């Protein structure tokens, strides 16, 4: 609990406008990628979902099996 309070206090002092700045930066990156012709992620994701359900299922299983236990373990250790 003390670590979370410390983190929140430091974040409040250092990064008050972070959500707005993060979205603004993300839009800038996407614009730059589009100008350079590098913005291929949406078309790649659509192709992958339409043509490779096996890979999508493997990725979802990995996310479910791997991500949540790690998050729970870290939360327990920090608590």
């Amino acid at each position: 609990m003390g670590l979370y309070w410390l983190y929140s206090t430091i974040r409040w002092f250092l990064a008050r406008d972070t959500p707005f700045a993060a979205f603004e930066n993300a839009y800038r990156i996407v614009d730059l990628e589009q100008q350079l012709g590098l913005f291929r992620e949406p078309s790649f994701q659509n192709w992958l979902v339409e043509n490779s359900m096996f890979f999508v299922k493997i990725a979802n299983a990995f996310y479910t099996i791997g991500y949540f236990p790690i998050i729970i373990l870290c939360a327990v250790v920090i608590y």
Side-chain angles (χ1 to χ4, degrees):
M1 190 68 155
L3 289 175
Y4 180 74
W5 177 84
L6 179 64
Y7 166 78
S8 297
T9 303
I10 292 171
R11 183 174 176 168
W12 186 83
F13 280 113
L14 296 179
R16 293 183 191 173
D17 63 344
T18 299
F20 302 111
F23 280 110
E24 191 173 303
N25 291 336
Y27 286 125
R28 282 190 207 148
I29 290 171
V30 169
D31 287 340
L32 178 64
E33 287 179 353
Q34 288 174 336
Q35 291 172 1
L36 296 174
L38 301 173
F39 190 64
R40 304 276 187 237
E41 186 176 346
S43 59
F44 177 70
Q45 286 180 352
N46 287 336
W47 176 84
L48 194 60
V49 168
E50 292 171 1
N51 297 309
S52 183
M53 283 308 293
F54 175 74
F55 180 75
V56 171
K57 288 180 182 180
I58 294 294
N60 286 338
F62 176 77
Y63 180 80
T64 303
I65 294 168
Y67 179 76
F68 289 114
I70 291 171
I71 294 298
I72 291 169
L73 177 65
C74 289
V76 168
V77 168
I78 289 172
Y79 181 73

